[in-house]
Amino acid sequence: MKILLVKLSSLGDVVHALPVVQDILAALPGAHIDWVVEKSFTPVVALHPGVRRIIPCEIRRWRKSPLSAVTRQQWNAFKADLQQTDYDAVIDLQGLTKSAVVARLARLAPGGKRYALGNQTDGSGYEAPTRWVADVAISITPHIHAVQRSRELAAAALGYTLPSSLDFGLNQPDAHAGRAQAAIENIAIKKRVAFVHGTSRADKEWPLAHWTALGQRLNAVGWQIALPAGSAKEQATSQKIADALNASDGTHAIVWPLLPLDALTHELAQCGGVIGVDSGVSHIAVALDLPHVQLYNFDTAWRTGPDASSGRQVSVFAQPAPTVDAVWNAWLGCLEASNAGPALQTDGRAA
């Protein structure tokens, strides 16, 4: 069976859709799964060994100059790439006009169908064309986590029962995912915590002074801080945090260079854990099953946050922002649940 998944953006949304691939392969082991995604996010999808072919697009960029010769040429090349295969099922996991257009352009095999969301879910974007284009529009429970929404849509479209376990597929051994897999096998060998402070929205940020104070506590019990960034602006913030932490003797923080997403995933996988704001990179940490604390200034963790049932990954919400104490205690809880942390005395110092 040939299946096309349409999930174009953003990074966090793409990561949230990864379990769909594992679910389909568990139910239909011989399935051939292709995925249409924005070009900038292809490195993350490429880490999943269950995706046979990635079809990149650049709709975000093309919309800025839709009538230019370059856009027309690239759009036609994208359509030709998309239409190489006749699909038995095209599943629009996004629910937006742009994803509906892609789903409509895809070619169906005889008897093939297009599936899409039949309704908006709480806190998520939705546009009517996704329903109009679909052969089958599937209604989903409105109050639902982003991961579960995609999983339920695909299960209903293809007629299988969802497995009870959740698997993002990034831990599967395969040459296709070689670099990340090699790193995953070394999780928690290094006492290094990644601080994911960067986000596309300023109102999701955590105060700089909080990052510094938390870093000092971690340094005091033997953890080094790694500071990734997705832009020059974020890298400058990383440097400010590092400078504050490195003011005393020794290297307590390192600033990573700007990295492509596959290399960034590789580096994250070598860390002992991640503390970060609600962002795509934090969601990668969840997919890697790292000990993780995710910070929320809005009460939306129910929709995008990690599953806290294991205790290894939790969200912390407060307004205007979580306190350093709250994040510190959540981190200690994650370490206890994963048996990854250094022994602590009651005063918080390393035993």
Side-chain angles (χ1 to χ4, degrees), residues 58-68 71:
E58 294 187 87
I59 292 176
R60 286 177 167 180
R61 184 170 62 82
W62 295 336
R63 286 189 301 190
K64 295 177 181 179
S65 54
L67 301 180
S68 73
T71 295

Side-chain angles (χ1 to χ4, degrees), residues 62-247:
W62 295 336
R63 286 189 301 190
K64 295 177 181 179
S65 54
L67 301 180
S68 73
V70 172
T71 295
R72 293 198 305 271
Q73 181 183 29
Q74 292 177 349
W75 174 254
N76 289 332
F78 163 67
K79 286 195 296 183
D81 192 16
L82 176 66
Q83 294 173 349
Q84 286 184 27
T85 302
D86 294 345
Y87 293 102
D88 300 294
V90 175
I91 307 176
D92 177 1
L93 298 174
Q94 191 123 31
L96 299 177
T97 299
K98 62 182 181 180
S99 57
V101 170
V102 171
R104 180 65 184 85
L105 288 173
R107 291 172 49 177
L108 296 178
K113 292 183 178 180
R114 297 180 177 88
Y115 301 88
L117 290 161
N119 62 293
Q120 184 172 15
T121 57
D122 296 343
S124 298
Y126 183 79
E127 294 170 349
T130 190
R131 184 171 61 246
W132 302 337
V133 165
D135 298 304
V136 181
I138 298 169
S139 295
I140 300 293
T141 302
H143 194 76
I144 191 170
H145 193 282
V147 172
Q148 193 68 7
R149 179 179 73 162
S150 292
R151 296 181 75 198
E152 290 191 8
L153 174 59
L158 300 177
Y160 59 80
T161 301
L162 278 179
S164 57
S165 60
L166 174 64
D167 187 351
F168 287 83
L170 298 189
N171 295 350
Q172 304 302 312
D174 188 275
H176 191 67
R179 286 199 303 168
Q181 174 61 23
I184 290 165
E185 293 170 355
N186 292 317
I187 284 175
I189 288 177
K190 295 181 179 179
K191 293 298 181 184
R192 179 177 293 175
V193 183
F195 278 4
V196 179
H197 59 80
T199 173
S200 59
R201 286 175 47 181
D203 57 0
K204 290 185 177 183
E205 293 175 352
W206 204 42
L208 186 62
H210 286 19
W211 286 115
T212 302
L214 181 64
Q216 289 168 341
R217 291 194 189 187
L218 287 162
N219 290 163
V221 294
W223 290 89
Q224 184 187 55
I225 309 304
L227 294 156
S231 67
K233 180 181 177 182
E234 290 177 10
Q235 198 166 39
T237 300
S238 291
Q239 191 61 57
K240 289 179 182 178
I241 298 171
D243 289 345
L245 296 177
N246 293 337

